[in-house]
Every structure is written in structure tokens, then in C-alpha cells.
Amino acid sequence: MHSTQDDRTSRAIIRDETLRLFAAHGADAVTVRQIAAAAHVSPALVVRHYGSKDGLREAVDTHVLQTLADMLIDITQRHGTPGVATSLADALLQSLPPDSPIPRYLARLFVEGGEAARTMFR
């Protein structure tokens, strides 16, 4: 749920609520109507911004992958090549808010597979 002082765009709010729902329930179990309700928008606006649930999944995957890439760049710049001193798990714990759905989403992604999981493994 977003606050009345949320300065994110509707597109970002929809993406973030989709990430939260996909992390909690899996992409296959979540409907566009549920996403719209969680983002406090109409289903038509969800479709207008993303085209379909597949478009939403692609946007969420891109967002999560970019977040991880940014963390790896930060780790590398601060500590050199990730290794003993810093791990991706440590970076996640330090960089993400405690209630972030990203770790749970990643766990689902690895189990469910798909293009985003293959990209991450590469």
C-alpha cells in the first residue's frame, strides 16, 4: 500500500505492488485485478502502462535485475571484487529495506526458472 505522500509515478507503484504480490504468491497466482487493487488503480490503467501481466513480469524482472546489478557495482567500487569480505547476501541485507520483497522474489525466481533466472545465473 502506498501513502498519500508517495511521489512515485503510478507506473512505479504498479510495478512495486506487482513485485510484492509476485514475491508473496508467485506470478501465476496473481491477477491483474489483484495488482490494480493493491496499487489503488484501475485494471485498465495497469494494462495501459504494461500491456499485460507478461509485460508486468518483464518490468519487475528488469527492475530486480537492475537493482542487483547496481548493488554489485557498488560492492565492487567499495570493496573490489566481491569475495570473502562482502557477499551478495550481505549487500542485500545492507542495501534493501527490511521489508523489501526482492529476496523473496529472487527465491521464487530461482525455483520457477524463466528468462530472468537464466540471466541472473549468467
Side-chain angles (χ1 to χ4, degrees):
M1 180 181 285
H2 63 278
S3 71
T4 55
Q5 296 180 345
D6 193 341
D7 63 353
R8 293 175 297 158
T9 65
S10 293
R11 185 174 173 86
I13 292 167
I14 293 166
R15 181 205 60 219
D16 293 348
E17 289 301 322
T18 302
L19 169 59
R20 188 182 61 75
L21 289 168
F22 283 5
H25 307 289
D28 292 340
V30 177
T31 67
V32 170
R33 287 190 182 280
Q34 290 170 320
I35 293 164
H40 302 285
V41 299
S42 71
L45 186 61
V46 173
V47 172
R48 179 173 175 232
H49 281 301
Y50 291 99
S52 65
K53 194 164 99 171
D54 288 337
L56 276 161
R57 185 172 196 156
E58 184 177 325
V60 167
D61 289 347
T62 298
H63 172 69
V64 170
L65 289 171
Q66 186 61 55
T67 300
L68 291 177
D70 292 345
M71 277 188 230
L72 288 173
I73 289 168
D74 184 52
I75 290 169
T76 302
Q77 288 175 344
R78 283 189 290 132
H79 302 287
T81 303
V84 177
T86 305
S87 69
L88 183 56
D90 290 336
L92 284 171
L93 290 173
Q94 293 170 8
S95 301
L96 296 173
D99 61 344
S100 173
I102 289 178
R104 190 170 195 185
Y105 182 75
L106 289 172
R108 279 196 181 276
L109 192 65
F110 288 134
V111 170
E112 293 173 359
E115 186 57 35
R118 283 188 288 280
T119 299
M120 223 175 287
F121 278 118
R122 279 187 220 125

